[in-house]
Amino acid sequence: MKPSEKFTTWFLIALMIIIGFWGLARVISQLQHGELGWFAALLPFMMLIPLFYNLMVFPHWDMKDERWRRIIEGSSFFSSQIFILVLAGLILVLATYPTNWTALQAVLAIFVFFGLTNAVTTIVLTKRM
């Protein structure tokens, strides 16, 4: 492993630890004040998803590699199919059981879920291919 790759790996791990502690501190602070806002508490943990994605996928990241192109194509296909199914399920749930979500919360939840499915499918395909 090159020195720059070692630096990147340890930098991502350090960022994940710092953000994890920040998230725990936010949750503990909110619990001490007697309220727990799920969106404010989840924000640091949602930031961990792209860091973990970069940590897992970084060693395989080579655009000239045919294997990497197949991984990206497969990840895009599978994550879009999963996303369509989840959106259909979300429409069915919201049509039968309305919630008090604001439009901003719904859009952010959709974006976070899409990013999560794309990251997870890329990680799974990286390990399988």
Side-chain angles (χ1 to χ4, degrees):
M1 186 180 282
K2 297 180 192 173
S4 62
E5 291 174 354
K6 284 183 183 179
F7 174 78
T8 303
T9 301
W10 284 109
F11 182 71
L12 288 172
I13 290 171
L15 275 177
M16 289 176 67
I17 291 170
I18 291 168
I19 291 175
F21 281 135
W22 175 47
L24 287 175
R26 285 183 73 144
V27 169
I28 291 170
S29 172
Q30 287 183 1
L31 287 176
Q32 287 175 343
H33 288 95
E35 62 181 46
L36 182 64
W38 67 272
F39 187 74
L42 283 180
L43 184 65
F45 298 109
M46 289 187 294
M47 291 173 63
L48 287 175
I49 295 168
L51 291 174
F52 183 71
Y53 168 80
N54 285 323
L55 183 65
M56 296 302 292
V57 175
F58 178 72
H60 307 281
W61 202 301
D62 186 12
M63 293 311 244
K64 297 174 187 165
D65 186 15
E66 184 63 31
R67 176 181 164 267
W68 179 249
R69 287 188 188 143
R70 285 188 293 133
I71 289 170
I72 293 299
E73 289 172 3
S75 173
S76 298
F77 173 75
F78 288 125
S79 64
S80 65
Q81 297 302 313
I82 292 169
F83 187 67
I84 289 170
L85 289 173
V86 168
L87 279 180
L90 183 65
I91 289 170
L92 289 174
V93 167
L94 291 178
T96 58
Y97 181 72
T99 63
N100 57 357
W101 277 11
T102 64
L104 179 62
Q105 288 174 332
V107 168
L108 287 175
I110 288 169
F111 279 133
V112 166
F113 185 76
F114 182 71
L116 179 66
T117 56
N118 195 13
V120 169
T121 55
T122 305
I123 291 170
V124 168
L125 288 176
T126 300
K127 297 299 178 189
R128 289 196 166 254
M129 292 183 139

